[in-house]
Amino acid sequence: MKSAAQIRSEFIEFFKEKNHTFVPSSPIVPKGDETLLFANAGMNQFKDIFLGLTPPSVPRAVNSQKCLRVSGKHNDLEEVGRDTYHHTFFEMLGNWSFGDYFKAEAIEWAWELFTQVWKIDPNRLWATVFAGDEHDGLPEDDEAKILWTSVTSIPAERVLSFGKKDNFWEMGETGPCGPCSEIHIDLGPDRCDMKNVPGHECKVNAGCARYVELWNLVFIQYNRQPGGKLTPLSSKYVDTGAGLERVVAVMQDKKSNYDTDLFMPIINFTSELSGCEYSGKLGNKVDNALRVIADHIRSLVFSITDGATPSNDGRGYVIRRILRRASRFGRELEMKEPFLYKLVPVVVECLGEAFGEIKERADYVSTVIKSEEESFGRTIDRGLEIFNTAAEKALQTEDKIISGKNAFQLYDTFGFPLDLTQLMAQERNLKVDKEKFDVLMEEQRQRARQAQKSDSFLASLTDTELPVTEDMHKYHLDSCESKIVGWIDKEGVKDSGQIDTGEEVGLILDKTCFYAEMGGQVGDCGMIESHDSHFFVENTIKIANCIIHKGKVTQGTFSGGQHVMAIVGKDRDAIKKNHTATHLLQWALQEVLGNSVAQQGSYVGPEYLRFDFTYPKALTREEIEKVEELIGEKIVEDLPVTTAVLPREEAQELGAMALFGEKYGDEVRVVAVGAESKSKLSEAFSKEFCGGTHVDRIGAIGGVKIIKEESISAGVRRITAIAGSELNSYLRKASDIVDQLSLILKVPSNELVDRVEKLIANNKELAKKLKSASRASGSDGLSQARELLDNCQKIGESSVIVGKLSGVTIDQAREAIDMLKKKAQSAAIVLGFDEEGKVTLISGITNDLVEKGLSAGNLIKEIAPIVGGGGGGRPQMAQAGGKDPEKIEEALKRASEIIVEKLQA
């Protein structure tokens, strides 16, 4: 029996023998393509080729692409574990032709590999072709239909036609697409899982497990425009995809993908951890859980390895959903403590030879997963209580629906993804009001939505050949003579006509000294001038090999062919200093913290630099000081910075660091700090793959100061630092503050710390005495709160405690809230007070009322604007500040109205 590793290897070797070049899988987290959350097909990394933006480097390619399908159109999450063949993470075996061969070869070779090399019984194979689509004006794919019976031995009766849903492939709402031809296998009548479904007939694309798609041959010849219109591409392409997991199941004669050597090691290890035996049956609660966990841990290992981290939006939210879903299924196996992180080495053992990156980052991935498991573990039990209460109520209703409000509360407060709530509801034969959930989710998004960059004119570039810009001057010059070869506006690319004052376009020159935004470094700003005409460049970007200067004509006019002067703005020097400082920072961090430090991302601008890196805990003050000290010592030496373009393998042998997951060409630019010349690159203490701009000698940086160190996700830290003139300004301000404090406190600067520490200690002691005196006089927050409780409004068993306090601190107010919750047991509380003209509103809600939809955070958000402030918090406790003490009573009155409305609803 062939192993999965052998099958993967044989696929690649088969096409290499047919003159295909092996291209490694792109990262599962796409780089530079914000239209796609995750790589969901092998063709993603070739998108610019299909769009005509980038010429292909090879005419034919083959690989095994890491894919994740958990969102949008391609979403297999709900099916995972329930059947034998759906997965979130999978490998897509694929071969491509970029304007070379087309349908005949693709069909013939697919049949040859299946039937002659792998010896799959041809009598079990079926083919499908596109039946055409009237709405899109597309005819039936007769060419493919005829080829199947002419270049293979398949009979015509096993070549079937299907519509757009089954046989027209599209990457997304827009982009490259085309008709496809699929190969399906008949696994036999005993594999049908729909025998009890009335009217079901076993056949291709009928939805049962007897017929399974193995290989999809996509013939890319169209582009879907934003409006939905299809336009022919300038060249025709072949993009095929065969799911490795399904192929392996057939080759290993297994009834389930999960029974192959791609999954069984993970399932067996999980069985040992849980003490639950795997039988391989469908519809079995234990087996379903084991399959889900095996699938999801593969997704987590690969996505986190490639740069995704759990969070509350975008890719991070998808990863959090998968992890929490797997964690909840662990509870089906009575595993209530973190366990997923223990499965990482098993995944590495299964797939680490084919994908070495998961070996390199295994420790980091385990850290991230364990941290997220622990975080979810702190809220899941309370969330399950809320769910159980909601479910009991839903069971007593006629429609058996859990409210969207309850589902949103589970999501917003306890971190339960909607699909997890739906899954638990389904297990009790309940449904969830998704429509109301979506309304509440959209309201939250509207409140929190941030402005996003929009390059609307770039949508017009599909299938457009952009001119090549010569941009080597960016490393040596701050200005250069050039010529306008065209520009981009919302209508597309133009090379004739005129650009008038006030127009915003993307200007294209034949050569430029502007650096295009890339590798974390911001794009250059500046001016493009010609006589009395001026074009202000707001940003510089790169598409394929074309540099686009985005900006606005501020004076005069410009036209195609016009000679101009490109002048980079004054920020260039500061950006250079910050970029080289970033390299020094990475080197110093590895010196202090060890080589496990790996760059996750960076930002290099004129004001500051930011560096994200893997590390499991916060840096100590001593570690930060040591990092700064090491950098300072190197800067004092004023060592040279040398750059060289080398073959990638040679650069790697020199020890040059590459950004993980970044795609590099055969040749790379290496920035070496400490090397006197290109012949002495090995002497450099810092060597990195980098296409950015840098200082000639590091003494020009002046110094580096870390101004912030923080966590941005589990296992990832972020450092923000300043250098150059920004550092000088920072130090001047700090010196001024020290001088002022010395004058105010009447002590020399070297005694300031001791003096401030004594003042703080004295202040704490006085606060304690004041608190004691306040309690002794009966004017403290507790006595006032008791009076409010004695006179409060009651609605059923719940107390509505709303009132103004006087002469209290925020700590005393919080203490009063806690006391009121305990005494009242069921209460909605809002207290207000002012201290020296500053208003504080604080709210506390007991858990039973939180379950009924009351939220302290939402309540505070609504009343805070009345006192000219804002705030928020958790459903159980929240507070806000304000600046209008005269409106406290009005705010409290509104709070009382809201609470009463909610409790009487």
Side-chain angles (χ1 to χ4, degrees):
M1 185 175 72
K2 293 178 188 287
S3 69
Q6 286 175 297
I7 294 167
R8 183 193 298 111
S9 177
E10 286 178 359
F11 181 92
I12 293 167
E13 289 304 316
F14 175 84
F15 282 101
K16 284 172 72 175
E17 288 173 6
K18 296 190 181 297
N19 300 316
H20 288 62
T21 301
F22 174 72
V23 178
S25 170
S26 64
I28 211 166
V29 177
K31 302 290 181 181
D33 185 356
E34 295 305 316
T35 66
L36 197 61
L37 281 179
F38 298 98
N40 60 13
M43 62 81 66
N44 294 154
Q45 67 172 306
F46 305 119
K47 180 180 174 183
D48 283 353
I49 297 175
F50 296 142
L51 289 172
L53 298 175
T54 303
S57 57
V58 294
R60 303 176 179 186
V62 61
N63 85 351
S64 183
Q65 172 66 42
K66 302 175 289 187
C67 297
L68 195 64
R69 291 186 178 176
V70 285
S71 58
K73 178 182 174 184
H74 302 293
N75 184 356
D76 294 335
L77 183 63
E78 295 306 317
E79 302 305 319
V80 171
R82 295 180 184 175
D83 61 22
T84 61
Y85 55 88
H86 275 102
H87 307 291
T88 51
F89 170 83
F90 63 96
E91 289 183 59
M92 185 71 85
L93 302 171
N95 58 289
W96 290 269
S97 165
F98 306 115
D100 188 16
Y101 64 83
F102 202 43
K103 296 180 183 180
E105 294 87 345
I107 291 170
E108 182 180 0
W109 290 339
W111 190 260
E112 179 187 345
L113 179 59
F114 267 3
T115 63
Q116 296 178 36
V117 177
W118 283 343
K119 306 298 182 184
I120 296 175
D121 183 358
N123 296 315
R124 299 168 62 196
L125 299 178
W126 293 67
T128 65
V129 297
F130 180 51
D133 185 83
E134 186 176 343
H135 179 265
D136 281 331
L138 297 173
E140 183 172 5
D141 192 356
D142 291 328
E143 181 186 3
K145 197 168 190 176
I146 293 168
L147 283 168
W148 272 111
T149 55
S150 61
V151 301
T152 80
S153 60
I154 195 170
E157 61 268 22
R158 292 215 307 274
V159 181
L160 310 176
S161 297
F162 289 92
K164 186 175 172 182
K165 176 179 178 290
D166 296 303
N167 279 79
F168 194 86
W169 196 91
E170 302 192 58
M171 187 176 64
E173 297 297 323
T174 61
C177 55
C180 62
S181 195
E182 298 177 340
I183 303 175
H184 295 248
I185 188 167
D186 180 357
L187 298 173
D190 63 316
R191 297 293 292 277
C192 177
D193 56 355
M194 300 177 69
K195 292 176 182 177
N196 297 324
V197 178
H200 173 70
E201 182 183 352
C202 282
K203 56 185 179 180
V204 173
N205 286 334
C208 75
R210 174 177 173 177
Y211 291 91
V212 175
E213 174 205 332
L214 287 183
W215 204 341
N216 190 4
L217 315 179
V218 181
F219 309 120
I220 297 176
Q221 54 194 96
Y222 302 106
N223 180 64
R224 178 80 65 182
Q225 300 281 8
K229 183 181 177 183
L230 289 175
T231 56
L233 291 169
S234 56
S235 297
K236 294 178 179 179
Y237 307 98
V238 170
D239 161 28
T240 86
L244 175 67
E245 291 75 9
R246 295 185 184 186
V247 172
V248 170
V250 170
M251 297 284 287
Q252 294 183 355
D253 194 25
K254 301 294 184 182
K255 290 187 176 182
S256 166
N257 295 358
Y258 292 96
D259 294 342
T260 68
D261 61 345
L262 288 167
F263 291 92
M264 281 310 298
I266 307 169
I267 290 173
N268 288 336
F269 189 82
T270 311
S271 294
E272 291 176 18
L273 281 178
S274 64
C276 298
E277 190 175 343
Y278 180 67
S279 67
K281 295 177 182 177
L282 295 177
N284 177 303
K285 192 174 181 181
V286 168
D287 288 0
N288 284 0
L290 288 166
R291 281 190 290 268
V292 169
I293 290 166
D295 172 272
H296 287 10
I297 190 61
R298 288 170 22 118
S299 293
L300 293 169
V301 168
F302 277 91
S303 55
I304 294 171
T305 291
D306 282 354
T309 52
S311 67
N312 281 330
D313 53 52
R315 294 179 181 123
Y317 179 56
V318 174
I319 299 308
R320 176 162 283 168
R321 281 172 60 204
I322 294 172
L323 194 151
R324 294 188 169 187
R325 198 168 185 269
S327 179
R328 190 263 169 182
F329 271 100
R331 289 179 172 247
E332 298 282 342
L333 308 176
E334 297 301 322
M335 292 194 289
K336 297 186 178 181
E337 296 300 318
F339 71 94
L340 289 168
Y341 75 97
K342 297 176 182 178
L343 303 178
V344 174
V346 190
V347 178
V348 171
E349 183 67 28
C350 290
L351 296 164
E353 289 303 315
F355 303 99
E357 60 270 23
I358 65 173
K359 273 185 178 180
E360 296 171 17
R361 311 200 88 195
D363 290 343
Y364 163 67
V365 171
S366 295
T367 299
V368 172
I369 291 176
K370 186 179 182 183
S371 175
E372 181 68 12
E373 284 188 275
E374 290 171 340
S375 173
F376 189 41
R378 289 190 284 270
T379 62
I380 187 171
D381 289 325
R382 181 65 188 136
L384 288 172
E385 287 178 24
I386 301 291
F387 172 81
N388 289 333
T389 301
E392 289 301 322
K393 289 181 182 177
L395 285 168
Q396 295 168 17
T397 63
E398 187 176 343
D399 53 13
K400 303 289 189 290
I401 294 177
I402 292 174
S403 73
K405 185 186 290 186
N406 283 332
F408 185 76
Q409 181 194 357
L410 284 166
Y411 160 78
D412 195 36
T413 307
F414 301 101
F416 280 45
L418 175 62
D419 51 13
L420 179 55
T421 302
Q422 289 174 316
L423 176 71
M424 295 189 298
Q426 189 177 57
E427 291 170 353
R428 297 197 184 194
N429 295 316
L430 297 170
K431 294 181 180 179
V432 176
D433 184 355
K434 184 176 182 298
E435 188 175 331
K436 178 61 176 177
F437 176 91
D438 289 340
V439 169
L440 294 170
M441 176 65 86
E442 184 56 32
E443 287 175 359
Q444 186 188 70
R445 285 179 182 143
Q446 291 289 354
R447 289 193 296 268
R449 187 163 286 153
Q450 296 177 348
Q452 295 181 343
K453 294 180 182 178
S454 175
D455 289 326
S456 57
F457 69 81
L458 298 183
S460 62
L461 299 184
T462 301
D463 201 26
T464 303
E465 188 173 345
L466 295 171
V468 175
T469 310
E470 196 270 284
D471 69 339
M472 288 305 293
H473 298 300
K474 65 190 176 190
Y475 295 126
H476 314 294
L477 300 174
D478 292 337
S479 63
C480 70
E481 294 181 355
S482 189
K483 183 174 71 173
I484 296 175
V485 296
W487 59 90
I488 302 170
D489 59 21
K490 292 181 180 179
E491 296 176 3
V493 181
K494 298 178 180 178
D495 58 10
S496 61
Q498 184 171 286
I499 318 168
D500 296 320
T501 300
E503 284 194 58
E504 296 183 10
V505 300
L507 208 56
I508 304 172
L509 309 177
D510 66 340
K511 59 178 179 286
T512 185
C513 54
F514 280 67
Y515 179 87
E517 182 179 342
M518 195 178 302
Q521 180 175 329
V522 299
D524 280 332
C525 301
M527 295 293 293
I528 295 173
E529 301 176 349
S530 178
H531 304 299
D532 293 330
S533 297
H534 301 279
F535 181 89
F536 175 63
V537 180
E538 297 171 352
N539 191 18
T540 309
I541 63 173
K542 184 175 184 178
I543 298 179
N545 294 311
C546 179
I547 307 300
I548 300 168
H549 307 78
K550 293 177 62 181
K552 183 177 182 179
V553 180
T554 57
Q555 181 178 312
T557 61
F558 290 90
S559 58
Q562 186 172 346
H563 288 272
V564 295
M565 178 67 73
I567 306 164
V568 178
K570 60 182 177 59
D571 287 339
R572 164 66 70 85
D573 284 342
I575 294 170
K576 282 182 176 181
K577 291 173 183 177
N578 282 340
H579 202 152
T580 308
T582 305
H583 286 220
L584 297 182
L585 177 59
Q586 177 162 221
W587 163 79
L589 284 168
Q590 291 184 337
E591 290 290 304
V592 174
L593 306 178
N595 289 329
S596 62
V597 168
Q599 182 177 348
Q600 288 293 100
S602 66
Y603 167 85
V604 178
E607 295 89 10
Y608 65 93
L609 63 96
R610 198 172 61 216
F611 185 75
D612 301 340
F613 59 99
T614 56
Y615 198 63
K617 58 185 178 180
L619 274 67
T620 64
R621 181 179 174 184
E622 291 74 22
E623 287 169 335
I624 291 174
E625 289 175 352
K626 184 62 179 175
V627 167
E628 291 177 336
E629 182 184 335
L630 288 174
I631 295 172
E633 288 172 356
K634 291 295 183 184
I635 289 174
V636 168
E637 293 181 46
D638 193 24
L639 299 169
V641 178
T642 300
T643 61
V645 177
L646 304 171
R648 187 174 66 243
E649 293 79 6
E650 184 181 338
Q652 289 169 334
E653 288 172 6
L654 275 171
M657 288 187 291
L659 178 59
F660 185 84
E662 196 67 38
K663 195 173 179 182
Y664 297 98
D666 293 332
E667 289 191 329
V668 295
R669 182 171 180 261
V670 174
V671 174
V673 184
E676 290 287 350
S677 65
K678 294 179 182 180
S679 62
K680 297 181 178 180
L681 292 179
S682 60
E683 298 176 2
F685 69 89
S686 166
K687 298 180 284 289
E688 293 189 35
F689 289 20
C690 182
T693 57
H694 291 270
V695 297
D696 295 327
R697 303 189 74 87
I698 60 176
I701 298 171
V704 174
K705 175 67 180 173
I706 294 172
I707 58 173
K708 193 174 187 181
E709 192 274 340
E710 61 189 319
S711 169
I712 58 169
S713 64
V716 180
R717 310 296 302 178
R718 169 173 289 172
I719 279 178
T720 304
I722 51 177
S725 59
E726 287 293 326
L727 173 58
N728 292 336
S729 175
Y730 174 89
L731 293 175
R732 280 197 302 273
K733 290 175 183 176
S735 179
D736 290 345
I737 291 170
V738 170
D739 290 344
Q740 288 175 41
L741 285 173
S742 293
L743 286 171
I744 293 168
L745 299 176
K746 296 180 172 58
V747 293
S749 59
N750 61 337
E751 295 178 15
L752 270 177
V753 173
D754 289 339
R755 180 69 175 128
V756 170
E757 286 177 346
K758 286 178 182 177
L759 284 172
I760 291 171
N762 291 340
N763 188 58
K764 286 180 179 178
E765 185 62 30
L766 287 170
K768 284 181 183 178
K769 291 178 180 178
L770 182 62
K771 191 173 184 180
S772 298
S774 178
R775 281 179 175 166
S777 66
S779 64
D780 65 303
L782 293 180
S783 60
Q784 295 178 66
R786 287 190 194 97
E787 187 175 341
L788 289 173
L789 176 61
D790 292 340
N791 297 289
C792 75
Q793 180 180 359
K794 297 278 286 188
I795 297 179
E797 297 298 316
S798 302
S799 300
V800 181
I801 308 168
V802 180
K804 185 177 179 181
L805 305 180
S806 59
V808 297
T809 65
I810 184 62
D811 288 337
Q812 289 173 327
R814 287 199 189 102
E815 190 178 3
I817 292 275
D818 291 339
M819 180 273 291
L820 289 170
K821 280 185 175 183
K822 287 176 183 176
K823 283 195 171 293
Q825 295 188 333
S826 177
I829 309 155
V830 181
L831 305 176
F833 62 94
D834 74 282
E835 191 176 10
E836 296 180 357
K838 293 180 180 178
V839 178
T840 297
L841 297 172
I842 185 166
S843 174
I845 309 289
T846 53
N847 285 329
D848 64 312
L849 299 187
V850 169
E851 290 177 14
K852 291 182 179 180
L854 272 174
S855 166
N858 293 341
L859 187 57
I860 284 293
K861 283 177 186 174
E862 186 157 346
I863 66 172
I866 296 173
V867 294
R874 297 178 295 110
Q876 292 85 356
M877 178 74 80
Q879 73 178 65
K883 53 191 177 184
D884 192 346
E886 293 180 5
K887 295 286 185 72
I888 291 178
E889 294 290 355
E890 183 183 340
L892 293 174
K893 181 183 176 185
R894 179 59 188 143
S896 185
E897 290 170 355
I898 294 168
I899 294 168
V900 171
E901 285 171 13
K902 289 277 188 183
L903 292 180
Q904 291 180 341

